[in-house]
Amino acid sequence: MSELNKLGLAQARDALRKGDVTSVELTEACLKEIDGADALGAFVHKTPEIAMERAAAADVRIKAGDAPAMCGLPIGIKDLFCTKGVASQAASRILEGFRPEYESTVSQNLADAGAVMLGKLNMDEFAMGSSNETSVYGNVVNPWRRAGDDAALTPGGSSGGSASAVAADLCLAATGTDTGGSIRQPAAFTGTVGIKPTYGRCSRWGIVAFASSLDQAGPMTKTVRDSAIMLGAMCSHDPKDSTSADLPVPDFEAMLTGDIRGKKIGIPREYRMEGMPAEIEALWQSGTDMLRDAGAEIVDISLPHTKYALPAYYVIAPAEASSNLARYDGVRYGRRAAMAKGDGITEMYEKTRAEGFGPEVQRRVMIGTYVLSAGFYDAYYNRARKVRTLIKKDFEDVFAAGVDAILTPATPSAAFGLGEMTDADPVAMYLNDVFTVTVNLAGLPGIAVPAGVNGQGLPLGLQLIGRPWEEGDLLNTAYALEAAAGFVAKPEKWW
């Protein structure tokens, strides 16, 4: 078999079980591809020794007939997941030199399932960003290019390294995290599939925290089937995470029938934003028609508090971030600033945090500290929490009325150029999350599926939002949409 790195998880798993290929061969193919792709800036800590060791162990398990679905499959791990003995920096200068003595629950679950870690993937610093331009390692570049244009494009953020690596076939799949769209937006920008499961489905233990009531890990893959396979391996109940749900993990792959006849798909009128590009509107309509043709019933729905979602999110997320990031002070681990003679502990805190955090993280910490301060707590933070409850109730009402899933665009545009938005008002960048943040505020599962290309040949994605804990049903609807869309485009190799 040639070009083994281009296989998806399901294809590679089947080839491994038939004996057509070994995990060592698959892993070598990916490592070779990674070494030639530094121009993408996707892999930031390469771990070839760990990869080859795990691949050899996986081959033994497969031969012995003791092989879970992920066994022997080479994947990338976002730099937000703590990996024992391997640098885990959350793309921040303040965690320079941090090599945890423990493994995150999700990456441990994947390791236990026999998955092969190729290395750590680039991301926005502390997952704060929509374009992967806030990383201490430098920008990630989208493998896609506009037709006839060599301008470097963003892969989206914060899981930009994961999206770029999967789209460029550097790995078979990757882990991502999603706080306000950080799996689904980059998936849409790179023509890949990304699912954010229900809040509590994947353990947050050992994942560097951004906003604890919103963060959720999920897979980024080449197909919906691959997402179902990897999500099953990532999920588990974890007593170390108080928000982890004690629920059985179904066989998500077995639920992929493609039959969605009789399913009710809601189209929210509030997502028809003013100034939405005609291409996004047309894609949304096309996705609606595809689901209708597959036998689903299309219904118009209202989510009346949608317009308050972004403001509420950008109060709640920075508030939680300012609290979570207070622990980075130069005392116990990570970077400590050089001290001048006579400096005390206060100066040490100030200098360490000033040089350790990048401008976007500093901005959000300051916003968060402000909205949590005594004089503004009720005016901002408490009010945002009340709005969040109303947004959650909007979805509950729609699902109670019999809607099975909701179809929306994943992003308000295709991938934009690196540097195009960084000098603008930061709010312009935050608007990239307009279709995705509601899902995090309500704790729901959401998936981005590639469904077409724009006039410049760049991928565009659609988002499906499901009922809580019904990822299997959501994946099946996404599977039907994927089959109808027939998206097979790949970026032309330039790196």
Side-chain angles (χ1 to χ4, degrees), residues 151-221:
L153 303 180
T154 175
S158 66
S159 307
S162 303
S164 181
V166 174
D169 294 317
L170 308 186
C171 52
L172 274 51
T175 62
T177 60
D178 192 310
T179 305
S182 286
I183 285 174
R184 292 158 290 148
Q185 184 246 23
F189 277 4
T190 55
T192 55
V193 176
I195 180 168
K196 180 205 92 72
T198 311
Y199 182 79
R201 182 62 97 175
C202 285
S203 170
R204 291 182 299 107
W205 194 84
I207 299 173
V208 178
F210 164 14
S212 303
S213 75
L214 301 163
D215 298 344
Q216 195 61 194
M220 302 189 73
T221 63

Side-chain angles (χ1 to χ4, degrees), residues 13-97:
R13 173 199 61 189
D14 297 346
L16 283 167
R17 288 184 175 177
K18 281 184 198 155
D20 293 344
V21 67
T22 66
S23 176
V24 165
E25 289 167 340
L26 269 175
T27 303
E28 283 173 341
C30 289
L31 290 172
K32 184 181 171 198
E33 206 62 29
I34 290 164
D35 282 340
D38 287 345
L40 293 173
F43 273 89
V44 290
H45 299 294
K46 300 172 187 177
T47 56
E49 296 85 3
I50 293 171
M52 294 309 293
E53 189 182 307
R54 289 191 187 177
D59 282 333
V60 171
R61 279 180 83 173
I62 292 163
K63 264 195 181 145
D66 163 37
M70 287 293 294
C71 192
L73 302 178
I75 60 169
I77 304 287
K78 186 177 178 179
D79 195 37
L80 210 61
F81 293 78
C82 287
T83 40
K84 188 174 180 179
V86 176
S88 305
Q89 277 186 241
S92 180
R93 183 170 283 110
I94 207 158
L95 277 172
E96 214 167 58

Side-chain angles (χ1 to χ4, degrees), residues 258-336:
D259 183 1
I260 58 166
R261 286 172 296 180
K263 293 285 182 192
K264 257 192 190 178
I265 308 294
I267 308 295
R269 64 178 70 105
E270 289 79 10
Y271 282 56
R272 295 190 190 283
M273 303 290 178
E274 201 180 313
M276 185 194 287
E279 288 174 321
I280 300 288
E281 184 80 54
L283 182 83
W284 193 9
Q285 186 54 55
S286 165
T288 305
D289 295 340
M290 289 176 205
L291 292 174
R292 186 185 285 113
D293 292 345
E297 181 190 345
I298 305 298
V299 292
D300 282 327
I301 60 167
S302 177
L303 299 167
H305 295 93
T306 296
K307 63 183 174 185
Y308 304 116
L310 266 180
Y313 174 84
Y314 279 103
V315 168
I316 291 167
E320 294 186 12
S322 75
S323 175
N324 277 325
L325 269 57
R327 71 192 71 168
Y328 304 109
D329 52 14
V331 175
R332 285 157 295 184
Y333 47 79
R335 185 186 182 91
R336 178 183 293 182

Side-chain angles (χ1 to χ4, degrees), residues 319-360:
E320 294 186 12
S322 75
S323 175
N324 277 325
L325 269 57
R327 71 192 71 168
Y328 304 109
D329 52 14
V331 175
R332 285 157 295 184
Y333 47 79
R335 185 186 182 91
R336 178 183 293 182
M339 297 291 106
K341 198 175 178 187
D343 278 353
I345 192 160
T346 305
E347 287 79 15
M348 191 267 284
Y349 288 158
E350 288 172 351
K351 286 181 179 176
T352 296
R353 288 170 69 81
E355 70 177 45
F357 291 142
E360 182 59 32

Side-chain angles (χ1 to χ4, degrees), residues 123-250:
M123 54 178 280
D124 278 299
E125 185 181 6
F126 282 106
M128 297 181 195
S130 304
S131 63
N132 224 133
E133 294 173 278
T134 68
S135 168
V136 70
Y137 310 119
N139 300 342
V140 181
V141 183
N142 193 328
W144 290 82
R145 293 251 161 114
R146 297 182 186 118
D149 185 355
D150 286 344
L153 303 180
T154 175
S158 66
S159 307
S162 303
S164 181
V166 174
D169 294 317
L170 308 186
C171 52
L172 274 51
T175 62
T177 60
D178 192 310
T179 305
S182 286
I183 285 174
R184 292 158 290 148
Q185 184 246 23
F189 277 4
T190 55
T192 55
V193 176
I195 180 168
K196 180 205 92 72
T198 311
Y199 182 79
R201 182 62 97 175
C202 285
S203 170
R204 291 182 299 107
W205 194 84
I207 299 173
V208 178
F210 164 14
S212 303
S213 75
L214 301 163
D215 298 344
Q216 195 61 194
M220 302 189 73
T221 63
K222 299 177 188 181
T223 66
V224 172
R225 181 175 294 278
D226 290 356
S227 278
I229 292 167
M230 189 165 170
L231 183 62
M234 290 171 72
C235 296
S236 66
H237 173 240
D238 182 8
K240 296 197 290 286
D241 173 6
S242 63
T243 61
S244 171
D246 191 1
L247 290 171
V249 179

